[in-house]
Amino acid sequence: MTVPNCDGTGGRAIWMDGRELARTMLAELAGQFAQLTTDTGTPVVLAIVQIGRDPAASSYVRAIVRCCDRVGVTPRLITLDSDTGPSALAETLHVLDDDSETAGIIIQYPLPELLARAVRAHMPPHKDVDGIHPLNAGLLALGDPSALVPATPLGGMALLHHYNVDLEGKHAVVIGRSPIVGRPMAQLLLQAHATVTICHSRTRGLDEITRSADILAVATGRPRMVTATMVKKGATVIDFGVNFVDGQMVGDVDTEPVAEIAARITPVPGGTGPMTNVMLMQNTLAAAIRQRPQD
Ligand code: NDP
């Protein structure tokens, strides 16, 4: 894939570079974690819970560990057997809740629905750094800034802010309504005063709706499903997709042709992907600060 001109000339979109923003934010976070560790005298611990040994999940876990290393967070890996049941998972979460050193907990998805339900029921909300507990989802829906918000949509919003995209009063269309990407992204755009439309697999007239979007955020898991004819000239396109086609990582947007129409676009790889773990670290910092012992 060729890189579009970053100055927006030549009819090509500005590339919203997640790798560069991630580097900057990780350096800032490293300073903030160092300060917190000095103040409290204890390192910040992030518990990473993986059930089974799925290679894709293991690769995500390694990426989180690398990110922890870069900011000075201590990762605590907990690998449970693939036949772990809901009560054993609940017990693990209770132990981590009682552990005062553990500031945050992240569980690797996907999980079978029975286990996902156990996580929602037993995740301590104040350590829920991926924002999956119903309390955090509810606070987000209420527009309460104390919510811990899923990291992936937070990364999309950080890119929009970094590139000074005006959201107020703009029409933002989100394709996808999952609890970890589409739905919270729509809530965040609403909080930023955009007028938000949420689309999903039963939406009728999708193309017509997306063509009216000033901001188009896509989280469908369908490789390259958003084509150039679905995008308004000058729109900003946020692609959350991570798909593998013939061994190549591609997004949910057909990036090259869409970059000819849009004003700004996130590449895949290198757009929203690198931001997710940065925002996970930011959430871990927020959770650790809130749990810091008071004098
Ligand atoms: P889900 O499968 O949970 O949700 C997909 C959503 O897309 C659903 O709401 C579904 O609708 C909708 N959808 C599917 N097909 C269509 C279609 N043809 N037209 C309109 N809507 C459609 O996926 P996730 O939200 O977990 O992930 C979405 C994408 O984001 C994936 O590519 C995933 O890999 C990526 N991802 C990236 C992360 C990152 O770090 N950047 C982290 C997490 C995910 P319905 O509800 O009706 O089924």
Side-chain angles (χ1 to χ4, degrees), residues 152 175-178 180-182 199-202 206 219-222 225 240-243 252 272-273 276:
T152 299
I175 319 181
R177 56 176 166 177
S178 77
I180 55 159
V181 193
C199 301
H200 46 78
S201 66
R202 318 284 171 90
L206 181 67
T220 60
R222 302 274 179 264
M225 74 157 271
F240 289 110
V242 178
N243 312 286
D252 294 347
T272 58
T276 293

Side-chain angles (χ1 to χ4, degrees), residues 7 62 107 129 145 200 214:
D7 59 1
R62 283 195 296 276
I107 311 261
V129 289
H200 46 78
D214 302 303

Side-chain angles (χ1 to χ4, degrees), residues 37-243:
T37 303
T38 306
D39 292 348
T40 60
T42 50
V44 174
V45 176
L46 173 65
I48 307 160
V49 182
Q50 183 181 355
I51 297 156
R53 293 183 186 276
D54 172 60
S58 300
S59 147
Y60 284 124
V61 167
R62 283 195 296 276
I64 296 173
V65 169
R66 278 197 300 276
C67 213
C68 287
D69 292 343
R70 283 177 72 175
V71 296
V73 164
T74 305
R76 181 173 168 199
L77 287 184
I78 297 160
T79 309
L80 302 175
D81 290 340
S82 50
D83 59 358
T84 297
S87 47
L89 181 55
E91 179 53 26
T92 300
L93 291 170
H94 292 155
V95 169
L96 291 171
D97 188 13
D98 289 342
D99 175 27
S100 60
E101 277 199 349
T102 300
I105 306 169
I106 177 153
I107 311 261
Q108 282 310 295
Y109 279 76
L111 287 180
E113 185 46 34
L114 204 59
L115 292 186
R117 232 181 277 152
V119 173
R120 284 197 290 274
H122 298 281
M123 169 69 78
H126 55 294
K127 298 189 179 187
D128 172 28
V129 289
D130 209 17
I132 50 169
H133 190 280
L135 177 69
N136 284 315
L139 289 171
L140 174 64
L142 291 173
D144 186 319
S146 71
L148 285 167
V149 177
T152 299
L154 272 185
M157 291 303 290
L159 280 163
L160 287 169
H161 292 313
H162 180 70
Y163 283 88
N164 295 317
V165 179
D166 184 17
L167 300 173
E168 195 168 322
K170 296 295 168 70
H171 187 203
V173 173
V174 180
I175 319 181
R177 56 176 166 177
S178 77
I180 55 159
V181 193
R183 215 172 271 253
M185 184 66 188
Q187 300 284 3
L188 290 168
L189 287 162
L190 189 61
Q191 263 181 38
H193 309 297
T195 301
V196 181
T197 303
I198 305 176
C199 301
H200 46 78
S201 66
R202 318 284 171 90
T203 297
R204 293 183 190 167
L206 181 67
D207 296 26
E208 202 181 319
I209 298 170
T210 59
R211 272 197 297 273
S212 74
D214 302 303
I215 292 104
L216 179 60
V218 191
T220 60
R222 302 274 179 264
R224 299 184 179 123
M225 74 157 271
V226 170
T227 58
T229 58
M230 296 170 72
V231 176
K232 176 170 144 179
K233 191 165 172 34
T236 296
V237 180
I238 302 289
D239 186 355
F240 289 110
V242 178
N243 312 286

Side-chain angles (χ1 to χ4, degrees), residues 274-294:
M275 292 302 296
T276 293
N277 287 340
V278 177
M279 304 321 284
L280 185 65
M281 296 302 127
Q282 187 171 283
N283 281 348
T284 303
L285 181 70
I289 288 172
R290 281 187 223 164
Q291 291 164 66
R292 178 172 53 178
Q294 301 300 314

